[in-house]
Amino acid sequence: MTPDAGPREAALRVTNLHKAFGSLDVLRGVSLAAHEHDVIAVMGASGSGKSTLLRCINLLDIPDAGEVHVGGELIHMGFDRRGQRTPADPRQVDRIRTRLGMVFQRFNLWSHMTVLQNIVEAPIRVLGVPRRRAMEQADHLLRKVGLYDKRDDFPAYLSGGQEQRAAIARALAMEPEVLLLDEPTSALDPELVGEVLKVIDDLAAEGRTMLIVTHEIGFARAVSSRTIFLHQGMVSEQGPSRQVLDEPRSERFRQFLSGGDWGRSALTTPSQSGENESP
Amino acid sequence: MDLAIVWESLPRLLEGAVLTLEITFVSLLAGLCLAVPVAIARLSHRRILWMPAYGYMLYFRGTPLLVQLFLVYYGSGQFQPLLDQAGVWFLFREAYFCAVLTLTLNTAAYTAEILRGAIIAVPRGEIEAARSVGMSGLLLYRRIILPKAFRLALPAYTNEAVFLLQATSLVSIITLLDLTGVARIIVARSFEPYKLYIAAGLIYLVITYTFVLVSRRLELRLSGHRREQPVGGVGSASGR
Amino acid sequence: MVTLDLHGYGWMLWRGLGLTILVGLGAMALAVTFGLLGAWGKLSRYRAARGLAGTYTTVIRGVPELILILLVYYGVPTLIQDLAARAGHDLRVDLNPFVAGIATIGLIYGAFATEVFRGAFQAVPRDQVEAARAFGMGRALMLRRILLPQMWRFALPGLGNVWMVLIKATALISVIQLEELMRSADIAARATRLPFTFFFAASLFYLGITIVSMVIQGRIESWSYRGAQRG
């Protein structure tokens, strides 16, 4: 599709996503759309369903209801023999996943492979990119995230910040249409956060389409075009980042933005975890 | 003490040791090849896959190796016409074949259990990362889960190899002249049991600890990539 | 489907099973004794005790059970006779296969039990020991009242494994002509010329022991976890 042919299809469209773990409703009807070059920050207290939202998008968790479109393509769902909702075509899921880059909170680098092997593994084995080209591309990405000199090291010998940068390079090597980042800095020591945010900042400047679950408010304001605030599995506020972050409408979001203990608020203040949404 | 008999018998004992090593390695290799699909089947959610794997592992881990050996070597005789028809009877007449077949089936069951544990211990996150780039099925097993699981299983597998080495001594009961077999024959003729059994025992000791030393080195080399400890260390009894 | 017609030899297998279990229980009791001694040696302050316990487990793990059984049953009597002869006595020593079997299997699995007990002693939290010291308990009292009772809980799963391996190892005693399960099956197989039938039947008996042991082990473990935190 050419850029100026009719209404542009969103790079990623999520419609009315529901997900429960047992009796715990984690997502209760979340919808969002990311267009090309959008950088969307997803915020919310722990337990608000941010990570589950990302995991449901690339089917690491199977949503109970709702639709996910990637580049206009709907991920078809069906039911297995026991009546569990499951992807109708596993091969479609694999294919869709190659178009969605995922960066995990705890990096999840393959520990038996070097940094370089981590990066070229999927392009070669899944996409069928010739080894030579994959290596060239990997070198390029490694320079970009500043890890060229660590290319032959095993993950266990990297710092958390280096591991996360390697994981970002691994995701980029697939040339994904949308990059999903699940709290990419929250497992890092404070002094290592900056180097990772810098890399993500560069990606945003390149015009990458990204969905970032983050707690870094300053970063979200500087980098993201839009911010979504999740509360109890629903989108409670959304809009252009500067507007939403500077003038939060709900008391809860205001508290979240100002509170130092946002990460634990759902656990430490029982009054906030009631069923009713207060205006 | 007069050790002449031991020195005289040493060449023949060592010849026996060569057969011991040969049987050990052939069975280990064949057993490993069999153990991989069995372990994967055992972890399947499909009943048609996990139930046979479970039954196989339970039977071979739950009964003595000696019974298994006799079942194959003597028991096959009961089905001679059938095996003849299938054209494999000439194999079952050979003690060597029966020994290797039984030891293979036996070690495969134990190895499959070790692999099962190791596969379960592969970090979830690393598997999710593989899924997130579109890997699934055999590719996921071949590139991510199995290489990682093999490394995690290595210490326990070293133990299994040592147990198998010692278990091969049972093949002397079905007339093979392995290290134990040679010792027993010489004892039967010379009536010098303790000298020869101690000599044979010492040779086993040397082989065992040389093997353990080599594999610990290998483990160290292979684990250069990780800091965490492997699962199922030394000391877990898994003999027959 | 193979039907197991045991041609009237069924009783022999049952009797053999009884003897197998008897040998197994005797050997297990011995193994626990050796195991406790071995663990005491390994954790001892005395270098000699540590060395002795270390040699014990090293040798046992490096030498096949069959060699050890043959050594004890045929070797030890001969050794005693030789030594006696050298001292000028004419001695004829014969070991009872039942006793020799229990002794050897017990000795072998004592080495495995040693590792189990050593791990169990080390698993008892250090502060329990310190608390006992703080109340002025001496070494013996502390061992008896604090360490031993707590250690068992950690040792039980490992001992269960030792038992299950041990009971299978008793089949080896058939080579010294003790008419336990394996030997009984062998005799019946030869008499009837139905080796598969009898060895398969015997294997099912062993499998039965294993399965019953697994169930009991599960029960005992959940029982012994009362009042303990599950990790």
mmCIF file with all atom_site columns, all heavy atoms in Angstrom, chain A residues 33-44:
data_model
loop_
_atom_site.group_PDB
_atom_site.id
_atom_site.type_symbol
_atom_site.label_atom_id
_atom_site.label_alt_id
_atom_site.label_comp_id
_atom_site.label_asym_id
_atom_site.label_entity_id
_atom_site.label_seq_id
_atom_site.pdbx_PDB_ins_code
_atom_site.Cartn_x
_atom_site.Cartn_y
_atom_site.Cartn_z
_atom_site.occupancy
_atom_site.B_iso_or_equiv
_atom_site.pdbx_formal_charge
_atom_site.auth_seq_id
_atom_site.auth_comp_id
_atom_site.auth_asym_id
_atom_site.auth_atom_id
_atom_site.pdbx_PDB_model_num
ATOM 1  N N   . ALA A 1 33 ? -4.755 1.760 18.765 1.00 0.00 ? 33 ALA A N   1
ATOM 2  C CA  . ALA A 1 33 ? -4.216 1.650 17.417 1.00 0.00 ? 33 ALA A CA  1
ATOM 3  C C   . ALA A 1 33 ? -2.895 2.387 17.363 1.00 0.00 ? 33 ALA A C   1
ATOM 4  O O   . ALA A 1 33 ? -2.772 3.482 17.907 1.00 0.00 ? 33 ALA A O   1
ATOM 5  C CB  . ALA A 1 33 ? -5.188 2.236 16.400 1.00 0.00 ? 33 ALA A CB  1
ATOM 6  N N   . ALA A 1 34 ? -1.913 1.737 16.765 1.00 0.00 ? 34 ALA A N   1
ATOM 7  C CA  . ALA A 1 34 ? -0.620 2.399 16.568 1.00 0.00 ? 34 ALA A CA  1
ATOM 8  C C   . ALA A 1 34 ? -0.405 2.549 15.078 1.00 0.00 ? 34 ALA A C   1
ATOM 9  O O   . ALA A 1 34 ? -0.412 1.565 14.342 1.00 0.00 ? 34 ALA A O   1
ATOM 10 C CB  . ALA A 1 34 ? 0.498  1.570 17.186 1.00 0.00 ? 34 ALA A CB  1
ATOM 11 N N   . HIS A 1 35 ? -0.277 3.809 14.624 1.00 0.00 ? 35 HIS A N   1
ATOM 12 C CA  . HIS A 1 35 ? 0.006  4.023 13.212 1.00 0.00 ? 35 HIS A CA  1
ATOM 13 C C   . HIS A 1 35 ? 1.494  4.078 13.008 1.00 0.00 ? 35 HIS A C   1
ATOM 14 O O   . HIS A 1 35 ? 2.252  4.151 13.965 1.00 0.00 ? 35 HIS A O   1
ATOM 15 C CB  . HIS A 1 35 ? -0.680 5.318 12.751 1.00 0.00 ? 35 HIS A CB  1
ATOM 16 C CG  . HIS A 1 35 ? -2.183 5.214 12.799 1.00 0.00 ? 35 HIS A CG  1
ATOM 17 N ND1 . HIS A 1 35 ? -2.920 4.728 11.750 1.00 0.00 ? 35 HIS A ND1 1
ATOM 18 C CD2 . HIS A 1 35 ? -3.063 5.490 13.803 1.00 0.00 ? 35 HIS A CD2 1
ATOM 19 C CE1 . HIS A 1 35 ? -4.204 4.715 12.102 1.00 0.00 ? 35 HIS A CE1 1
ATOM 20 N NE2 . HIS A 1 35 ? -4.305 5.175 13.341 1.00 0.00 ? 35 HIS A NE2 1
ATOM 21 N N   . GLU A 1 36 ? 1.889  4.035 11.747 1.00 0.00 ? 36 GLU A N   1
ATOM 22 C CA  . GLU A 1 36 ? 3.309  4.064 11.458 1.00 0.00 ? 36 GLU A CA  1
ATOM 23 C C   . GLU A 1 36 ? 3.944  5.281 12.114 1.00 0.00 ? 36 GLU A C   1
ATOM 24 O O   . GLU A 1 36 ? 3.371  6.365 12.096 1.00 0.00 ? 36 GLU A O   1
ATOM 25 C CB  . GLU A 1 36 ? 3.517  4.091 9.948  1.00 0.00 ? 36 GLU A CB  1
ATOM 26 C CG  . GLU A 1 36 ? 4.587  3.115 9.492  1.00 0.00 ? 36 GLU A CG  1
ATOM 27 C CD  . GLU A 1 36 ? 4.670  3.072 7.986  1.00 0.00 ? 36 GLU A CD  1
ATOM 28 O OE1 . GLU A 1 36 ? 3.676  2.665 7.348  1.00 0.00 ? 36 GLU A OE1 1
ATOM 29 O OE2 . GLU A 1 36 ? 5.704  3.472 7.454  1.00 0.00 ? 36 GLU A OE2 1
ATOM 30 N N   . HIS A 1 37 ? 5.109  5.106 12.672 1.00 0.00 ? 37 HIS A N   1
ATOM 31 C CA  . HIS A 1 37 ? 5.908  6.135 13.367 1.00 0.00 ? 37 HIS A CA  1
ATOM 32 C C   . HIS A 1 37 ? 5.343  6.531 14.724 1.00 0.00 ? 37 HIS A C   1
ATOM 33 O O   . HIS A 1 37 ? 5.920  7.382 15.393 1.00 0.00 ? 37 HIS A O   1
ATOM 34 C CB  . HIS A 1 37 ? 6.089  7.400 12.507 1.00 0.00 ? 37 HIS A CB  1
ATOM 35 C CG  . HIS A 1 37 ? 6.510  7.096 11.102 1.00 0.00 ? 37 HIS A CG  1
ATOM 36 N ND1 . HIS A 1 37 ? 7.555  6.232 10.814 1.00 0.00 ? 37 HIS A ND1 1
ATOM 37 C CD2 . HIS A 1 37 ? 6.018  7.510 9.900  1.00 0.00 ? 37 HIS A CD2 1
ATOM 38 C CE1 . HIS A 1 37 ? 7.687  6.135 9.501  1.00 0.00 ? 37 HIS A CE1 1
ATOM 39 N NE2 . HIS A 1 37 ? 6.761  6.890 8.918  1.00 0.00 ? 37 HIS A NE2 1
ATOM 40 N N   . ASP A 1 38 ? 4.234  5.945 15.124 1.00 0.00 ? 38 ASP A N   1
ATOM 41 C CA  . ASP A 1 38 ? 3.717  6.237 16.465 1.00 0.00 ? 38 ASP A CA  1
ATOM 42 C C   . ASP A 1 38 ? 4.638  5.639 17.522 1.00 0.00 ? 38 ASP A C   1
ATOM 43 O O   . ASP A 1 38 ? 5.148  4.534 17.352 1.00 0.00 ? 38 ASP A O   1
ATOM 44 C CB  . ASP A 1 38 ? 2.339  5.581 16.664 1.00 0.00 ? 38 ASP A CB  1
ATOM 45 C CG  . ASP A 1 38 ? 1.215  6.478 16.189 1.00 0.00 ? 38 ASP A CG  1
ATOM 46 O OD1 . ASP A 1 38 ? 1.519  7.622 15.771 1.00 0.00 ? 38 ASP A OD1 1
ATOM 47 O OD2 . ASP A 1 38 ? 0.056  6.041 16.231 1.00 0.00 ? 38 ASP A OD2 1
ATOM 48 N N   . VAL A 1 39 ? 4.842  6.396 18.590 1.00 0.00 ? 39 VAL A N   1
ATOM 49 C CA  . VAL A 1 39 ? 5.494  5.819 19.764 1.00 0.00 ? 39 VAL A CA  1
ATOM 50 C C   . VAL A 1 39 ? 4.508  5.962 20.910 1.00 0.00 ? 39 VAL A C   1
ATOM 51 O O   . VAL A 1 39 ? 4.197  7.076 21.326 1.00 0.00 ? 39 VAL A O   1
ATOM 52 C CB  . VAL A 1 39 ? 6.813  6.537 20.106 1.00 0.00 ? 39 VAL A CB  1
ATOM 53 C CG1 . VAL A 1 39 ? 7.409  5.952 21.378 1.00 0.00 ? 39 VAL A CG1 1
ATOM 54 C CG2 . VAL A 1 39 ? 7.796  6.411 18.949 1.00 0.00 ? 39 VAL A CG2 1
ATOM 55 N N   . ILE A 1 40 ? 3.980  4.832 21.349 1.00 0.00 ? 40 ILE A N   1
ATOM 56 C CA  . ILE A 1 40 ? 2.939  4.882 22.370 1.00 0.00 ? 40 ILE A CA  1
ATOM 57 C C   . ILE A 1 40 ? 3.493  4.391 23.695 1.00 0.00 ? 40 ILE A C   1
ATOM 58 O O   . ILE A 1 40 ? 4.064  3.295 23.771 1.00 0.00 ? 40 ILE A O   1
ATOM 59 C CB  . ILE A 1 40 ? 1.728  4.018 21.959 1.00 0.00 ? 40 ILE A CB  1
ATOM 60 C CG1 . ILE A 1 40 ? 1.160  4.543 20.632 1.00 0.00 ? 40 ILE A CG1 1
ATOM 61 C CG2 . ILE A 1 40 ? 0.670  4.013 23.057 1.00 0.00 ? 40 ILE A CG2 1
ATOM 62 C CD1 . ILE A 1 40 ? -0.020 3.757 20.127 1.00 0.00 ? 40 ILE A CD1 1
ATOM 63 N N   . ALA A 1 41 ? 3.374  5.210 24.715 1.00 0.00 ? 41 ALA A N   1
ATOM 64 C CA  . ALA A 1 41 ? 3.786  4.794 26.048 1.00 0.00 ? 41 ALA A CA  1
ATOM 65 C C   . ALA A 1 41 ? 2.571  4.226 26.772 1.00 0.00 ? 41 ALA A C   1
ATOM 66 O O   . ALA A 1 41 ? 1.510  4.840 26.771 1.00 0.00 ? 41 ALA A O   1
ATOM 67 C CB  . ALA A 1 41 ? 4.358  5.974 26.821 1.00 0.00 ? 41 ALA A CB  1
ATOM 68 N N   . VAL A 1 42 ? 2.721  3.045 27.321 1.00 0.00 ? 42 VAL A N   1
ATOM 69 C CA  . VAL A 1 42 ? 1.637  2.442 28.104 1.00 0.00 ? 42 VAL A CA  1
ATOM 70 C C   . VAL A 1 42 ? 2.039  2.516 29.563 1.00 0.00 ? 42 VAL A C   1
ATOM 71 O O   . VAL A 1 42 ? 3.089  2.005 29.959 1.00 0.00 ? 42 VAL A O   1
ATOM 72 C CB  . VAL A 1 42 ? 1.401  0.972 27.697 1.00 0.00 ? 42 VAL A CB  1
ATOM 73 C CG1 . VAL A 1 42 ? 0.259  0.373 28.505 1.00 0.00 ? 42 VAL A CG1 1
ATOM 74 C CG2 . VAL A 1 42 ? 1.109  0.878 26.201 1.00 0.00 ? 42 VAL A CG2 1
ATOM 75 N N   . MET A 1 43 ? 1.222  3.179 30.369 1.00 0.00 ? 43 MET A N   1
ATOM 76 C CA  . MET A 1 43 ? 1.548  3.322 31.780 1.00 0.00 ? 43 MET A CA  1
ATOM 77 C C   . MET A 1 43 ? 0.429  2.749 32.636 1.00 0.00 ? 43 MET A C   1
ATOM 78 O O   . MET A 1 43 ? -0.663 2.488 32.147 1.00 0.00 ? 43 MET A O   1
ATOM 79 C CB  . MET A 1 43 ? 1.744  4.803 32.131 1.00 0.00 ? 43 MET A CB  1
ATOM 80 C CG  . MET A 1 43 ? 2.727  5.502 31.223 1.00 0.00 ? 43 MET A CG  1
ATOM 81 S SD  . MET A 1 43 ? 3.181  7.108 31.881 1.00 0.00 ? 43 MET A SD  1
ATOM 82 C CE  . MET A 1 43 ? 4.860  6.805 32.270 1.00 0.00 ? 43 MET A CE  1
ATOM 83 N N   . GLY A 1 44 ? 0.747  2.573 33.893 1.00 0.00 ? 44 GLY A N   1
ATOM 84 C CA  . GLY A 1 44 ? -0.257 2.048 34.806 1.00 0.00 ? 44 GLY A CA  1
ATOM 85 C C   . GLY A 1 44 ? 0.432  1.407 35.998 1.00 0.00 ? 44 GLY A C   1
ATOM 86 O O   . GLY A 1 44 ? 1.606  1.032 35.914 1.00 0.00 ? 44 GLY A O   1
#
